[in-house]
Amino acid sequence: MEETYLLNVEGVKKKILHGGQGELPKLQDGSKITFHFQTLKDDFERTVIDDSREAGIPMEIIVGKMFKLEIWETLLSSMRTGEVAEFWCDAIHTGMYALVSRGMRRIAEGRDPLEGQKHRCGMGNMFDYHSTGYDDLDELQRTPQPLIFILELFRVEEPSAYKRDTWAMSKEEKLAAVPVLHSEGNRLVLRKEFGQAAAKYQEAVICLRNLQAKEKPWEDGWLKLESLVTPLVLNYCQCQLELGEYYEVLEHTTELLQKHNDNAKAYFKRAKAHAAVWNEREAREDFLRVAHLDPSMAAAVKKELKQLGERMRKKHVEDRKRYQGLFQPPQG
């Protein structure tokens, strides 16, 4: 089978090492491709640079989502399921490999692939990488060169055939996913599965924040998305209260109130978190603000203030007993 083919791409040669089955897959935007890869230098020793089998996890890419090494989509589109093929690619196609490999290695090591990256344009970030942290990749970055990729294609899944991560969704898909995630979160709350519910609310918020990042702050599009974010954040905070993650609640409610300082529900949840961590003054201030903003919550506020007073009195009694014991003289 080891016949060399010229793909209709300059600087690429293909050699089939093991034939696949079926027809060539029809790739479309959003298709997920799962495969193993091995990257070799084009030298006498065919030095191995990377091998996904060593990590034990196949590689996955989403078609049309601007994967930095665009040539891989082209190579995989020429393969059948189960096929193993070797591709020689000229340096015009491999210039970004060092950065791609750096990210993949960091993920395999359990590290953040963007660690140390500044928020700049793509070309700007290239110049920020004085070193990738790996000697062999630094060499590739200094002197781009032809590389050999040995790929084994496992499967190609259509966009509707798998649950896509948030980053891989289109704008329309993100908007459609939000009410579904919101509903799933509510269902989990009724079953008192607060950890899983919080994850659903958080995923929905991420969808909306990604969309918001493309809008101008405080204009109509941004405000419309913000109106969807707010109840999700409040639901997330309620789950965190149930889970005892009070400082998480303080962080998110405070961030919310910096934008919407008249949200009584946010003050109420922050007050409960303050009360739970013994911030009496802050809790009272927030509870009183709730009653001022929403008189319909006055009864709930009165109940919470009563409970707070009882808890604080009990704590003061316990503290006095503890401190008295410290200063009592030892018995003769």
Side-chain angles (χ1 to χ4, degrees):
M1 294 292 295
E2 294 191 8
E3 184 177 352
T4 300
Y5 300 88
L6 291 174
L7 300 185
N8 294 322
V9 179
E10 181 184 356
V12 177
K13 299 177 184 177
K14 175 182 179 181
K15 183 187 295 183
I16 297 177
L17 305 181
H18 184 279
Q21 300 87 39
E23 300 295 325
L24 287 174
K26 296 180 180 179
L27 301 183
Q28 56 182 304
D29 280 2
S31 295
K32 180 166 75 171
I33 310 175
T34 305
F35 61 101
H36 265 310
F37 74 93
Q38 188 178 51
T39 306
L40 314 172
K41 283 187 176 182
D42 184 23
D43 57 14
F44 181 77
E45 297 83 4
R46 288 168 62 92
T47 305
V48 176
I49 300 172
D50 290 307
D51 189 339
S52 63
R53 286 180 177 80
E54 291 185 358
I57 303 174
M59 181 72 180
E60 294 179 349
I61 61 174
I62 307 297
V63 175
K65 295 303 176 183
M66 299 177 66
F67 183 67
K68 288 181 180 178
L69 202 64
E70 295 179 11
I71 191 61
W72 272 9
E73 283 189 18
T74 302
L75 306 183
L76 290 161
S77 69
S78 75
M79 300 178 67
R80 292 174 169 81
T81 303
E83 180 178 325
V84 181
E86 176 179 308
F87 298 90
W88 178 90
C89 296
D90 202 353
I92 59 173
H93 301 297
T94 63
M96 292 292 292
Y97 185 78
L99 298 184
V100 172
S101 175
R102 175 186 187 269
M104 293 188 295
R105 290 184 187 185
R106 284 181 173 274
I107 291 171
E109 295 165 2
R111 300 163 64 189
D112 181 358
L114 300 179
E115 182 182 318
Q117 182 170 328
K118 298 179 181 178
H119 294 286
R120 294 175 56 185
C121 67
M123 290 301 295
N125 276 320
M126 288 180 64
F127 292 106
D128 284 330
Y129 290 113
H130 301 297
S131 172
T132 63
Y134 305 93
D135 292 341
D136 57 340
L137 299 182
D138 286 345
E139 179 191 347
L140 287 179
Q141 190 165 249
R142 285 192 298 269
T143 55
Q145 56 194 267
L147 295 174
I148 297 168
F149 302 113
I150 299 176
L151 308 179
E152 180 181 1
L153 178 61
F154 291 142
R155 59 184 173 273
V156 175
E157 299 171 86
E158 294 182 358
S160 60
Y162 67 96
K163 183 181 183 300
R164 282 198 270 175
D165 294 328
T166 301
W167 65 267
M169 294 180 181
S170 66
K171 176 181 179 179
E172 293 73 20
E173 289 168 335
K174 287 186 176 80
L175 286 172
V178 168
V180 175
L181 291 166
H182 198 158
S183 178
E184 289 177 354
N186 293 346
R187 178 177 54 82
L188 289 164
V189 166
L190 291 174
R191 291 163 51 180
K192 298 189 182 301
E193 297 177 15
F194 299 111
Q196 294 181 47
K200 295 294 182 182
Y201 295 136
Q202 185 177 46
E203 188 176 351
V205 169
I206 290 170
C207 284
L208 294 170
R209 291 298 190 205
N210 287 342
L211 295 173
Q212 253 189 333
K214 299 175 183 178
E215 301 285 345
K216 192 169 183 180
W218 302 106
E219 292 197 350
D220 289 346
W222 188 93
L223 289 169
K224 185 176 180 180
L225 293 168
E226 185 69 13
S227 69
L228 299 174
V229 168
T230 300
L232 288 164
V233 173
L234 291 173
N235 287 0
Y236 174 82
C237 288
Q238 183 60 41
C239 290
Q240 297 303 324
L241 282 173
E242 298 288 350
L243 294 168
E245 299 292 344
Y246 304 119
Y247 290 102
E248 180 94 351
V249 176
L250 292 175
E251 177 185 349
H252 288 284
T253 50
T254 299
E255 182 181 352
L256 188 62
L257 288 166
Q258 287 171 349
K259 299 177 187 174
H260 313 286
N261 62 3
D262 59 349
N263 192 303
K265 291 181 179 179
Y267 279 112
F268 189 78
K269 295 184 193 306
R270 190 172 73 171
K272 287 178 70 69
H274 275 309
V277 296
W278 308 105
N279 296 338
E280 182 181 13
R281 179 179 60 81
E282 293 87 347
R284 288 188 181 279
E285 288 176 355
D286 278 352
F287 279 133
L288 293 173
R289 187 68 182 270
V290 171
H292 174 73
L293 290 170
D294 188 351
S296 70
M297 298 181 70
V301 167
K302 184 177 180 180
K303 180 181 176 181
E304 292 289 342
L305 286 172
K306 181 180 179 181
Q307 290 178 351
L308 175 61
E310 292 171 352
R311 288 182 68 239
M312 295 307 301
R313 281 193 292 273
K314 184 177 179 181
K315 182 177 185 295
H316 293 326
V317 170
E318 292 174 350
D319 288 345
R320 279 199 300 270
K321 289 180 179 179
R322 187 181 305 116
Y323 295 139
Q324 285 173 356
L326 288 176
F327 297 106
Q328 285 180 350
Q331 297 296 322

